[in-house]
Amino acid sequence: MQVDRYWKLPGCQLSPKDIVYGHVTAATAKAGGSQLGIEFDSADCYGNTRRALPFKILGMVGAPGEYNPLHNAVPTEIGGGRGRQINDTVSALGLAEDQSLNPDSNPKTLRPGTVVGIPRVTLAPTSGPSCSAELSSPDPSVRLSTGTEFIMMIERSGP
C-alpha cells in the first residue's frame, strides 16, 4: 500500500508513494458471510530500510466511483410535486446518516470503524487476531477495490 500524505515520526519520515507493508491475519468464508483480518505493521522510511511501525486501521474509504450515494437511489420527491428534504428521506429509512452529503471530500470526522463508500463491509479496528483489524461482509467474500483508502494511526507505546 502507498502512503497518501506526509508523516513525520521519531526516526521515520513517510512521503507520498512510500510503501507500507501488511499481511492477512485471518480469512474465513461461510454461507452466512466472510471475515478478513488485516494488519499493516511496517514501512519504508525515508533514508532508512524497512522499519516496524504499529499501524492501526481506524477507517476505510472506498475508491471514487464505487459507491452509489443513497440520495441518488432514493426518491426525494413525493407525488403531487411536494418536495422532501434528503434528511427526512434518510431518517424514514432508519439510517443514521447519508455519508455522501459531503460529495467533494472525505468525512471531516472519524469514529473508529467508519467505512465510507464500501457497501456491505464493516470494520472492527481491533477484533481480528492479535488485535488486527477485522473486515466483515454478509457476502461470501470481503471485496475491496483498487483505490480503497485506509485511514490509519500509529499506535504509541508507553505513557
Side-chain angles (χ1 to χ4, degrees):
M1 178 178 78
Q2 291 184 344
V3 174
D4 189 22
R5 302 191 191 313
Y6 288 97
W7 282 33
K8 188 170 185 174
L9 309 161
C12 181
Q13 179 178 329
L14 298 173
S15 300
K17 302 201 182 216
D18 284 348
I19 302 296
V20 174
Y21 299 93
H23 61 275
V24 172
T25 59
T28 59
K30 301 176 189 167
S34 55
Q35 289 80 37
L36 177 68
I38 189 168
E39 177 177 61
F40 293 98
D41 55 7
S42 62
D44 287 339
C45 298
Y46 178 78
N48 295 324
T49 57
R50 192 165 162 174
R51 178 173 172 207
L53 292 170
F55 290 101
K56 287 294 177 192
I57 300 171
L58 298 178
M60 300 184 322
V61 178
E66 291 295 313
Y67 177 58
N68 184 17
L70 179 65
H71 59 270
N72 287 348
V74 177
T76 57
E77 187 172 311
I78 301 172
R82 291 187 0 230
R84 187 161 146 181
Q85 296 289 326
I86 187 65
N87 291 339
D88 296 338
T89 302
V90 172
S91 295
L93 292 172
L95 302 172
E97 60 188 305
D98 180 355
Q99 295 173 328
S100 285
L101 291 178
N102 189 20
D104 296 327
S105 67
N106 290 331
K108 304 268 189 250
T109 58
L110 177 76
R111 291 187 183 115
T114 296
V115 176
V116 176
I118 309 172
R120 301 174 59 85
V121 172
T122 58
L123 168 66
T126 58
S127 293
S130 301
C131 293
S132 62
E134 181 180 81
L135 286 63
S136 301
S137 174
D139 297 329
S141 64
V142 175
R143 294 176 189 235
L144 302 176
S145 58
T146 301
T148 297
E149 295 182 12
F150 291 91
I151 302 167
M152 299 189 292
M153 63 174 265
I154 299 287
E155 185 175 42
R156 294 175 56 176
S157 59

